[in-house]
Coordinates of all heavy atoms in Angstrom, one line a residue:
L25 N 5.8 -5.5 1.0 CA 6.6 -4.3 0.8 C 7.6 -3.9 2.0 O 8.3 -2.9 1.9 CB 5.7 -3.1 0.6 CG 4.7 -3.3 -0.6 CD1 3.6 -2.2 -0.6 CD2 5.5 -3.3 -2.0
G26 N 7.6 -4.7 3.0 CA 8.5 -4.5 4.1 C 8.1 -3.2 4.9 O 8.9 -2.7 5.6
L27 N 6.8 -2.8 4.8 CA 6.4 -1.7 5.6 C 6.1 -2.1 7.0 O 5.4 -3.1 7.2 CB 5.2 -1.0 4.9 CG 5.4 -0.5 3.5 CD1 4.1 0.1 3.0 CD2 6.6 0.4 3.4
E28 N 6.5 -1.2 8.0 CA 6.2 -1.5 9.4 C 5.5 -0.3 10.1 O 5.7 0.8 9.6 CB 7.6 -1.7 10.1 CG 8.4 -2.9 9.6 CD 8.1 -4.2 10.3 OE1 7.2 -4.1 11.2 OE2 8.7 -5.2 9.9
P29 N 4.7 -0.6 11.1 CA 4.1 0.5 11.8 C 5.1 1.4 12.5 O 6.1 1.0 13.0 CB 3.3 -0.2 12.9 CG 3.0 -1.6 12.3 CD 4.3 -1.9 11.5
V30 N 4.9 2.7 12.3 CA 5.7 3.7 13.0 C 4.9 4.6 14.0 O 5.5 5.2 14.9 CB 6.4 4.7 12.0 CG1 7.4 3.9 11.1 CG2 5.4 5.4 11.1
R31 N 3.6 4.5 13.9 CA 2.7 5.2 14.8 C 1.4 4.6 14.8 O 0.9 4.2 13.7 CB 2.7 6.7 14.5 CG 2.1 7.5 15.6 CD 2.2 9.0 15.4 NE 1.1 9.4 14.6 CZ 1.0 10.4 13.7 NH1 2.1 11.2 13.6 NH2 -0.1 10.8 13.1
V32 N 0.8 4.5 16.0 CA -0.6 3.9 16.1 C -1.5 4.9 16.9 O -1.0 5.4 17.9 CB -0.6 2.6 16.8 CG1 -2.0 2.0 16.9 CG2 0.3 1.6 16.0
N33 N -2.7 5.1 16.4 CA -3.6 6.0 17.1 C -4.9 5.1 17.3 O -5.6 4.9 16.3 CB -4.0 7.2 16.3 CG -5.0 8.1 17.0 OD1 -5.4 7.9 18.1 ND2 -5.3 9.3 16.4
D34 N -5.1 4.6 18.4 CA -6.2 3.6 18.7 C -7.3 4.3 19.5 O -7.0 4.7 20.7 CB -5.7 2.4 19.4 CG -6.7 1.3 19.5 OD1 -7.5 1.2 18.6 OD2 -6.5 0.4 20.4
K35 N -8.4 4.4 19.0 CA -9.6 5.0 19.7 C -10.7 3.9 19.7 O -10.7 2.9 19.0 CB -10.1 6.2 18.9 CG -9.0 7.3 18.7 CD -8.7 8.0 20.0 CE -7.7 9.1 19.8 NZ -7.2 9.6 21.0
P36 N -11.7 4.2 20.5 CA -12.8 3.2 20.6 C -13.5 2.9 19.3 O -13.8 1.7 19.0 CB -13.8 3.8 21.6 CG -13.0 4.7 22.4 CD -11.9 5.3 21.5
E37 N -13.6 3.9 18.4 CA -14.3 3.6 17.1 C -13.4 3.4 15.9 O -13.9 2.9 14.9 CB -15.3 4.8 16.9 CG -14.6 6.2 16.7 CD -14.3 6.9 18.1 OE1 -14.8 6.4 19.1 OE2 -13.6 7.8 18.0
F38 N -12.1 3.7 16.1 CA -11.3 3.4 14.9 C -9.8 3.2 15.4 O -9.4 3.6 16.5 CB -11.3 4.6 13.9 CG -10.8 5.9 14.5 CD1 -9.5 6.2 14.5 CD2 -11.7 6.8 15.0 CE1 -9.0 7.4 15.0 CE2 -11.2 8.0 15.6 CZ -9.9 8.3 15.5
T39 N -9.0 2.6 14.5 CA -7.5 2.6 14.7 C -6.9 3.1 13.5 O -7.3 2.7 12.4 CB -7.1 1.1 15.0 OG1 -7.7 0.7 16.2 CG2 -5.6 1.0 15.2
I40 N -5.9 3.9 13.6 CA -5.1 4.4 12.5 C -3.7 3.9 12.8 O -3.1 4.1 13.8 CB -5.2 6.0 12.4 CG1 -6.5 6.4 12.1 CG2 -4.2 6.5 11.4 CD1 -6.7 7.9 12.1
V41 N -3.1 3.3 11.7 CA -1.7 2.8 11.8 C -1.0 3.5 10.7 O -1.3 3.4 9.5 CB -1.6 1.3 11.7 CG1 -0.2 0.9 11.7 CG2 -2.4 0.6 12.8
F42 N 0.1 4.2 11.0 CA 1.0 4.8 10.0 C 2.1 3.8 9.7 O 2.8 3.4 10.6 CB 1.5 6.1 10.4 CG 0.5 7.2 10.4 CD1 -0.2 7.4 11.6 CD2 0.2 8.0 9.3 CE1 -1.2 8.4 11.6 CE2 -0.7 9.0 9.3 CZ -1.4 9.2 10.5
L43 N 2.3 3.4 8.5 CA 3.4 2.5 8.0 C 4.5 3.3 7.4 O 4.3 4.2 6.6 CB 2.9 1.5 7.1 CG 1.7 0.6 7.5 CD1 1.3 -0.4 6.4 CD2 2.1 -0.2 8.8
G44 N 5.8 2.9 7.7 CA 6.9 3.5 7.1 C 7.8 2.5 6.4 O 7.7 1.3 6.6
D45 N 8.8 3.0 5.6 CA 9.6 2.2 4.8 C 11.0 2.0 5.4 O 12.0 1.9 4.8 CB 9.7 2.7 3.4 CG 10.3 4.1 3.4 OD1 10.8 4.7 4.4 OD2 10.2 4.8 2.3
G46 N 11.1 2.0 6.8 CA 12.4 1.9 7.4 C 13.3 3.1 7.4 O 14.5 2.9 7.6
G47 N 12.7 4.2 7.2 CA 13.5 5.4 7.2 C 14.1 5.9 5.8 O 14.8 6.9 5.8
R48 N 13.8 5.1 4.8 CA 14.4 5.5 3.5 C 13.7 6.8 3.0 O 14.3 7.6 2.3 CB 14.1 4.3 2.5 CG 15.1 3.2 2.7 CD 15.0 2.0 1.7 NE 13.7 1.3 1.9 CZ 13.4 0.4 2.8 NH1 14.3 0.1 3.7 NH2 12.2 -0.2 2.8
T49 N 12.5 7.0 3.4 CA 11.8 8.3 3.1 C 11.0 8.6 4.4 O 10.8 7.8 5.3 CB 10.8 8.2 1.9 OG1 9.7 7.4 2.3 CG2 11.5 7.7 0.7
N50 N 10.4 9.8 4.4 CA 9.6 10.2 5.5 C 8.1 10.0 5.2 O 7.2 10.3 6.0 CB 9.7 11.7 5.9 CG 11.1 11.9 6.5 OD1 11.6 11.1 7.3 ND2 11.7 13.0 6.2
F51 N 7.8 9.5 4.0 CA 6.4 9.3 3.5 C 5.8 8.2 4.3 O 6.5 7.2 4.7 CB 6.4 8.9 2.0 CG 5.0 8.8 1.5 CD1 4.3 10.0 1.1 CD2 4.4 7.6 1.3 CE1 3.0 9.9 0.6 CE2 3.1 7.5 0.9 CZ 2.4 8.7 0.5
R52 N 4.5 8.3 4.7 CA 3.8 7.2 5.4 C 2.6 6.8 4.7 O 1.9 7.6 4.0 CB 3.4 7.8 6.8 CG 4.5 8.3 7.6 CD 5.3 7.2 8.2 NE 6.5 7.7 9.0 CZ 7.7 7.6 8.6 NH1 8.1 7.1 7.5 NH2 8.6 8.0 9.5
L53 N 2.2 5.5 4.8 CA 0.9 5.0 4.4 C 0.1 4.8 5.6 O 0.5 4.2 6.5 CB 1.1 3.6 3.7 CG -0.2 3.0 3.2 CD1 -1.0 3.9 2.3 CD2 0.1 1.6 2.6
E54 N -1.1 5.5 5.6 CA -2.0 5.5 6.7 C -3.0 4.4 6.5 O -3.8 4.5 5.4 CB -2.6 6.8 7.0 CG -3.7 6.9 8.0 CD -4.4 8.2 8.0 OE1 -4.0 9.2 7.4 OE2 -5.5 8.3 8.7
L55 N -3.1 3.4 7.3 CA -4.2 2.5 7.3 C -5.3 2.9 8.3 O -4.9 3.0 9.5 CB -3.7 1.1 7.5 CG -2.7 0.5 6.6 CD1 -2.3 -0.9 6.9 CD2 -3.1 0.6 5.1
T56 N -6.5 3.1 7.9 CA -7.6 3.4 8.8 C -8.6 2.3 8.9 O -9.1 1.8 7.9 CB -8.3 4.7 8.3 OG1 -7.4 5.8 8.3 CG2 -9.4 5.1 9.3
Y57 N -8.7 1.8 10.1 CA -9.6 0.7 10.4 C -10.8 1.2 11.3 O -10.6 1.6 12.4 CB -8.9 -0.4 11.1 CG -9.7 -1.5 11.7 CD1 -10.5 -2.3 10.9 CD2 -9.7 -1.7 13.1 CE1 -11.3 -3.3 11.4 CE2 -10.6 -2.7 13.6 CZ -11.3 -3.5 12.8 OH -12.1 -4.5 13.3
M58 N -12.0 1.2 10.7 CA -13.2 1.6 11.4 C -13.7 0.3 12.0 O -14.1 -0.6 11.3 CB -14.2 2.2 10.4 CG -13.7 3.4 9.6 SD -13.1 4.7 10.7 CE -14.6 5.3 11.5
K59 N -13.8 0.3 13.3 CA -14.0 -0.9 14.1 C -15.4 -1.5 13.9 O -15.6 -2.7 14.0 CB -13.7 -0.7 15.6 CG -12.3 -0.5 15.8 CD -12.0 -0.2 17.2 CE -10.5 0.0 17.5 NZ -10.1 0.3 18.8
D60 N -16.4 -0.7 13.5 CA -17.7 -1.2 13.3 C -18.0 -1.5 11.8 O -19.1 -1.9 11.5 CB -18.8 -0.2 13.9 CG -18.8 1.2 13.2 OD1 -17.9 1.4 12.4 OD2 -19.7 1.9 13.5
R61 N -17.1 -1.3 10.9 CA -17.3 -1.5 9.5 C -17.3 -3.0 9.2 O -16.4 -3.7 9.6 CB -16.2 -0.8 8.7 CG -16.2 -1.0 7.2 CD -17.2 0.0 6.6 NE -17.2 -0.2 5.2 CZ -17.6 0.8 4.4 NH1 -17.9 2.0 4.8 NH2 -17.7 0.6 3.1

Side-chain angles (χ1 to χ4, degrees):
L25 300 169
L27 301 181
E28 297 275 356
V30 294
R31 194 173 85 206
V32 176
N33 184 359
D34 192 26
K35 302 289 184 192
E37 59 278 348
F38 65 85
T39 300
I40 295 174
V41 179
F42 289 92
L43 302 178
D45 60 10
R48 289 181 290 283
T49 70
N50 289 325
F51 186 83
R52 302 288 181 250
L53 176 60
E54 174 187 349
L55 301 181
T56 300
Y57 169 63
M58 302 303 293
K59 295 179 180 179
D60 62 353
R61 178 82 181 206

